[in-house]
Amino acid sequence: MISKKYKDMLSNKSIIRQFSEFAIARGAQIGYENVFDYSLGNPSVSPPQKFTDTMIDLLKNKNSVELHGYSQSLGIPAVREKIANYLNQRFGMNYTKEHIFMSTGAAGAIAHALRCVTAPGDEVLIFAPFFAEYWSYVNLSGAIMKVVPANVEDFQVNFEAFEEMLTEKVTAVLINTPNNPSGAVYTSKTLKRMADIMTAKSEEYGHDIFLISDEPYREIVFAGTEAPYVSKFYSNSICCYSFSKSLSIPGERLGYVAVNPECTDAEYIADMCGQVSRGIGHNCPPSIIQLAVAECLDITSDLSVYETNRNILYKELTSLGFECVKPGGTFYIFPKAPEKDAVAFCEKAKKYDLVLVPSDDFGVPGYFRMACCIDTEKAVRSLEAFRKFVQDENYFR
Amino acid sequence: MISKKYKDMLSNKSIIRQFSEFAIARGAQIGYENVFDYSLGNPSVSPPQKFTDTMIDLLKNKNSVELHGYSQSLGIPAVREKIANYLNQRFGMNYTKEHIFMSTGAAGAIAHALRCVTAPGDEVLIFAPFFAEYWSYVNLSGAIMKVVPANVEDFQVNFEAFEEMLTEKVTAVLINTPNNPSGAVYTSKTLKRMADIMTAKSEEYGHDIFLISDEPYREIVFAGTEAPYVSKFYSNSICCYSFSKSLSIPGERLGYVAVNPECTDAEYIADMCGQVSRGIGHNCPPSIIQLAVAECLDITSDLSVYETNRNILYKELTSLGFECVKPGGTFYIFPKAPEKDAVAFCEKAKKYDLVLVPSDDFGVPGYFRMACCIDTEKAVRSLEAFRKFVQDENYFR
C-alpha cells in the first residue's frame, strides 16, 4: 500500500526550492545572467585539474574490471587508509582505516552516524540556524529532532538553552561548523564549553551522548578565522565529511564518516555503518570517485571567490544598513531582514531580480540567506539592485 | 548511545563473505589463479568501450562545474527521459520521466520502493531461494519479511504456499527474476498466475499489494529462455534495475526505480522516492555515471562468457551425478549438494580448492551456489577438481 508518510511529505515543498524555481523561470524571461540568484548552495568553481586528470588516467590505464568492481562495503581499504593518514597528519588524530567509512556525501554520512548512535525515539539536539534538511535526516532515522534556539549575537551556541534541553532523552548532538546558513565557525571556546557540558551530562545520566559533526564546509574558512577540528575536543565524536564543496564535485556524492578512535566502541562503529548500509541500500560509494578523490586529499578547488564575494556583499549590505554577523567561512551570508516577515521581504526582493531565501526553514525567523557561490561580476552587479530595493522600500530610514 | 541493533548485527557475518575470505587467504598461499573461487557474484568482464569513451569525453569536453554539479534529487531529467523512452520502445510500456527515479544500484532502488509501498509492521513476501541481503533490505525498512518456501522442481513459484501466505498483512511482494541464486527466469505463465492471485487478494482485502521486481540480471538470459518484462503482467508493480551486471560497473552504483504508469498513485511514487532519500541520505546518484550510462542504454558488455561457463559447468556437474535445475540466466548455478548438510559439503570442497557457497542463507538448505563469473579457462580447470572431489568422497555411488 502507498505509504502515507512519504506521500504527505510531498506537500511540504522546500522554500529554497521554491525560490530557486522562481530564479530559473525568471531567467527564462530575462536571461539567467540578469537574475541575481542567491538561492542554491551549489559550488560555482571547477574541480582541481588533478581530479579530472586522475579520473581520465584511471579510465585509460587501470584494468577496467578492477576499476569498476564492487568496493568493500566500508569503502576501498587503500582509500580509507589515505584519509586516516591525512587527518592524522593535519589534525593530530590517531585514526586508522578501521575508523573510516566511505559514504555518499555528508548526507549519507549523517544517515549512517545517526543510526549507529541513536535508537528510535531518542532525542537529537541541533542548533538554530540549521540546514533545513536536518529535519528529515534526524526524524526519518526514527530519532526526534529538538532545536536549540539561536544565539543571534554571533551565531555561536546559546549555552543556556543547550544545557536546559540536554536532558536524559538526548543521545546525540548534531552540529554544523562552518555553518550553513549563518557562515559562523565554532571557536575553540565554544567547542570546549560544549564538550564540558556534554561530558558532565553523560556522567550525570550514565549514558553516552555522541557529538556528530557535519563538516562539508571545512575547507571554506576565511582569513582571520580559526576553524578548530571538532573531534579534538570531545571523545564521543563522529566527523561527517563531504568532498562536494572542497573539490567542487557535489554531484559525485563522496564523503566519509570518521569515528574518533577515543570514543566508546570506536572499533565497531565504522563496521556498524556497513550494517546500516545494508538496510538503507547504499553500500559502496562509486569506486572511481573514491580512487580519484584519494589522490586529491591535500588540495582543493580555487575557493577564493567565496571570500571575495563575502567581502563585497558584507561591506555593501552593512553599509546600506543591514545587520549581519560577518561569516567566518562557507559561501553563505545570513543578514537580518529589515522587516519582521522575512518571507514578505524576500518576495519583494524578487521585483529587483534578487533571489534571497527567507530564514524560516532554517529555524530563525526574520533573516535571509544568500548563497554567494556565483561569479563575482554578478555579485557586483547585484549591489545596484540592493541599493534600489532598499531605497524604494524606505528601509533603514 | 551505541545502537544495540546494529552492533548485534556484526556477529551475523555473511556466509558468502566467509567463503570469499577463505578464497582470498588460500590464494595468498597457492596463487589465486589456482583457487576455483565461485563465491562472489562480481562481473568478470569489462564494461563496453563506449562507456569508458563516454566517461573520458565528458571529463575532457563538458563544462566541469555543470558535469560534477548536483543533479536533481530524482536524477538528471534528460537521463530519466532516455530510460523511460528506452523501456517503452523495448517493452511496450508508457513510462515518462516522471516514473523514473535514479538510484544507487538495485539495492538503493529496493530500499526506496519498499518504503514507498509499505508501512512499518507490514509483511513483505519473498520466495526461496533468495538473495541473502533481502533479509536486511526488508527488515531494516521496518517491514517484516516472510519467506515462501521454494518450488525445487524448477525454481518457479510454489503457488500453494504463496496463496496461503498472501494474507491481509502483506502489502508487497518482492521477486527477483532472473534469480540469484537459482538462475531461474520466471515464465509468462508464472507471472500471469502470480498477478491473478495478487489481483484477487487485493480485491478481497480492499487494499493494494505491490509487486517489487528486482531485475539486475535482466540482460543475462541464455538461448532458448524467455524473459518477460514483469511490469507487463501486473499494474501495481515497480521495477528495480541496476546497470551493475549489464554494463559491468557494479562499483559505480547506478540503477533506477521504474514505476508502472498504471499503478495506484503512479504520478507520486518517483517523487516519494525523493522524499525517502531525504531520510536515508543518498539523494542523487553520481552525475557523471548517470550521464555516461545514458549513452549506453541499448548496449551491454560482452556477456557471452556467462553462458559458456553455464554450459560447461552444467554439463559436467550433471554428468558427474549432481541434480541441478538448468539456469536460464544470471551467472549462477545452484545444484543440490550430494549430502544433506550443504555447509559440510562446501567445507569438504575447500580441500580441492573449490570455493562453493552453501545455500542455507538463501533460504533453501541442501544446495550450493556457484557464481560462474570467472574466466572460462579457470572454469574448465575446475572440472578436474570436481571429478576428484566426487570420487574421493564416494558421492553418487
Side-chain angles (χ1 to χ4, degrees), chain B residues 110 114 124-127 134 138 172-176 212-214:
Chain B
I110 294 169
L114 277 171
V124 174
L125 294 189
I126 67 161
F127 298 86
Y134 278 10
V138 176
V173 173
L174 171 57
I175 63 172
N176 173 216
I212 300 174
S213 174
D214 177 24

Side-chain angles (χ1 to χ4, degrees), chain A residues 53-322:
Chain A
D53 291 346
T54 307
M55 288 283 286
I56 292 172
D57 181 57
L58 286 167
L59 287 159
K60 283 190 170 167
N61 300 319
K62 198 173 159 77
N63 174 295
S64 65
V65 174
E66 214 180 297
L67 173 62
H68 300 296
Y70 280 114
S71 84
Q72 292 184 18
S73 56
L74 305 191
I76 297 172
V79 175
R80 294 162 62 210
E81 187 155 12
K82 278 187 180 173
I83 290 170
N85 291 342
Y86 171 75
L87 292 173
N88 293 345
Q89 196 168 15
R90 179 151 169 211
F91 298 116
M93 298 290 291
N94 295 299
Y95 296 114
T96 66
K97 72 171 190 297
E98 280 67 34
H99 301 110
I100 309 294
F101 170 79
M102 303 305 297
S103 69
T104 49
I110 294 169
H112 285 83
L114 276 170
R115 284 164 177 80
C116 285
V117 298
T118 67
D122 287 0
E123 288 185 4
V124 174
L125 293 189
I126 67 161
F127 299 85
F130 54 86
F131 177 44
E133 284 301 297
Y134 278 8
W135 179 90
S136 46
Y137 294 169
V138 176
N139 290 340
L140 295 178
S141 81
I144 298 160
M145 183 176 99
K146 298 279 172 175
V147 180
V148 179
N151 165 358
V152 295
E153 286 304 305
D154 53 9
F155 294 124
Q156 297 286 317
V157 168
N158 178 337
F159 280 106
E160 202 178 324
F162 176 51
E163 282 210 56
E164 197 175 306
M165 294 180 71
L166 192 55
T167 68
E168 196 162 359
K169 292 180 193 164
V170 176
T171 57
V173 172
L174 172 56
I175 64 172
N176 174 215
T177 176
N179 184 269
N180 172 8
S182 73
V185 184
Y186 284 180
T187 61
S188 291
K189 198 177 149 198
T190 293
L191 292 169
K192 174 82 174 57
R193 189 164 166 195
M194 181 176 265
D196 287 346
I197 292 169
M198 289 176 66
T199 302
K201 294 283 188 183
S202 300
E203 280 172 21
E204 183 184 335
Y205 303 145
H207 67 69
D208 289 331
I209 304 169
F210 269 82
L211 181 62
I212 300 174
S213 174
D214 176 24
E215 306 180 11
Y217 299 98
R218 187 201 290 153
E219 304 306 333
I220 311 181
V221 176
F222 307 142
T225 303
E226 163 214 37
Y229 188 65
V230 173
S231 296
K232 295 294 282 182
F233 292 81
Y234 187 66
S235 297
N236 281 332
S237 57
I238 299 178
C239 161
C240 294
Y241 187 72
S242 165
F243 294 97
S244 294
K245 277 79 183 181
S246 58
L247 297 178
S248 283
I249 50 168
E252 310 309 349
R253 317 290 306 143
L254 193 73
Y256 59 78
V257 167
V259 177
N260 194 323
E262 291 178 10
C263 81
T264 302
D265 283 341
E267 67 276 35
Y268 297 125
I269 295 179
D271 251 349
M272 287 167 64
C273 286
Q275 301 301 315
V276 172
S277 252
R278 295 171 68 188
I280 64 182
H282 57 120
N283 326 51
C284 339
S287 305
I288 188 172
I289 313 289
Q290 287 189 57
L291 292 169
V293 163
E295 300 304 314
C296 302
L297 297 180
D298 57 353
I299 59 172
T300 68
S301 297
D302 178 357
L303 305 168
S304 61
V305 62
Y306 305 135
E307 185 160 2
T308 305
N309 290 356
R310 191 267 326 239
N311 289 342
I312 291 166
L313 289 161
Y314 177 79
K315 188 177 168 207
E316 179 71 17
L317 290 172
T318 51
S319 81
L320 279 171
F322 285 93

Side-chain angles (χ1 to χ4, degrees), chain B residues 153-268:
Chain B
E153 287 303 306
D154 54 9
F155 293 125
Q156 298 286 316
V157 169
N158 178 339
F159 280 106
E160 202 179 322
F162 177 49
E163 280 209 59
E164 197 175 304
M165 294 180 71
L166 193 55
T167 67
E168 196 162 0
K169 291 179 193 164
V170 176
T171 57
V173 173
L174 171 57
I175 63 172
N176 173 216
T177 176
N179 183 270
N180 172 7
S182 73
V185 185
Y186 283 179
T187 62
S188 291
K189 200 176 147 200
T190 293
L191 292 168
K192 175 80 172 58
R193 189 164 167 198
M194 182 176 265
D196 288 346
I197 293 168
M198 289 175 67
T199 303
K201 294 284 190 184
S202 299
E203 280 172 20
E204 184 185 334
Y205 303 144
H207 68 68
D208 290 329
I209 304 170
F210 269 82
L211 181 62
I212 300 174
S213 174
D214 177 24
E215 307 180 12
Y217 298 98
R218 188 201 289 152
E219 305 306 334
I220 311 181
V221 177
F222 307 141
T225 303
E226 164 213 37
Y229 188 65
V230 173
S231 296
K232 295 295 282 183
F233 293 81
Y234 187 69
S235 297
N236 280 334
S237 56
I238 299 178
C239 161
C240 295
Y241 187 72
S242 165
F243 294 96
S244 294
K245 277 79 182 181
S246 58
L247 296 178
S248 284
I249 50 167
E252 308 310 350
R253 317 289 309 143
L254 193 73
Y256 59 78
V257 166
V259 177
N260 193 323
E262 292 178 8
C263 80
T264 302
D265 284 341
E267 67 275 36
Y268 297 125

Side-chain angles (χ1 to χ4, degrees), chain A residues 1-3 6-7 9-10 12 17 41-47 51-52 55-56 59-60 64-65 67-73 104 107-108 111 115-119 122 132-133 135-137 140-141 171-172 207-210 244-245 248-253 264-265 268-269 271-272 275-276 278-289, chain B residues 1-3 6-7 9-10 12 17 41-47 51-52 55-56 59-60 64-65 67-73 104 107-108 111 115-119 122 132-133 135-137 140-141 171-172 207-210 244-245 248-253 264-265 268-269 271-272 275-276 278-289:
Chain A
M1 285 193 290
I2 298 291
S3 159
Y6 292 110
K7 193 171 173 191
M9 280 175 68
L10 292 177
N12 293 325
R17 189 64 62 179
N42 227 339
S44 58
V45 296
S46 294
F51 174 78
T52 304
M55 288 283 286
I56 292 172
L59 287 159
K60 283 190 170 167
S64 65
V65 174
L67 173 62
H68 300 296
Y70 280 114
S71 84
Q72 292 184 18
S73 56
T104 49
R115 284 164 177 80
C116 285
V117 298
T118 67
D122 287 0
E133 284 301 297
W135 179 90
S136 46
Y137 294 169
L140 295 178
S141 81
T171 57
H207 67 69
D208 289 331
I209 304 169
F210 269 82
S244 294
K245 277 79 183 181
S248 283
I249 50 168
E252 310 309 349
R253 317 290 306 143
T264 302
D265 283 341
Y268 297 125
I269 295 179
D271 251 349
M272 287 167 64
Q275 301 301 315
V276 172
R278 295 171 68 188
I280 64 182
H282 57 120
N283 326 51
C284 339
S287 305
I288 188 172
I289 313 289
Chain B
M1 282 193 291
I2 297 293
S3 159
Y6 292 109
K7 194 173 172 190
M9 281 175 68
L10 291 178
N12 294 322
R17 188 64 61 181
N42 227 339
S44 58
V45 296
S46 293
F51 174 79
T52 304
M55 288 281 289
I56 292 171
L59 287 160
K60 282 190 169 165
S64 64
V65 174
L67 173 62
H68 301 295
Y70 278 114
S71 83
Q72 292 183 17
S73 55
T104 48
R115 283 164 177 78
C116 284
V117 298
T118 67
D122 288 1
E133 284 300 297
W135 179 90
S136 46
Y137 293 169
L140 294 178
S141 82
T171 57
H207 68 68
D208 290 329
I209 304 170
F210 269 82
S244 294
K245 277 79 182 181
S248 284
I249 50 167
E252 308 310 350
R253 317 289 309 143
T264 302
D265 284 341
Y268 297 125
I269 295 178
D271 252 349
M272 286 166 62
Q275 301 302 315
V276 172
R278 295 170 69 188
I280 64 182
H282 57 121
N283 325 52
C284 335
S287 304
I288 188 171
I289 312 289

Side-chain angles (χ1 to χ4, degrees), chain B residues 301-313:
Chain B
S301 296
D302 179 356
L303 305 169
S304 61
V305 63
Y306 303 135
E307 186 160 1
T308 304
N309 290 357
R310 190 269 323 241
N311 289 341
I312 291 167
L313 289 161

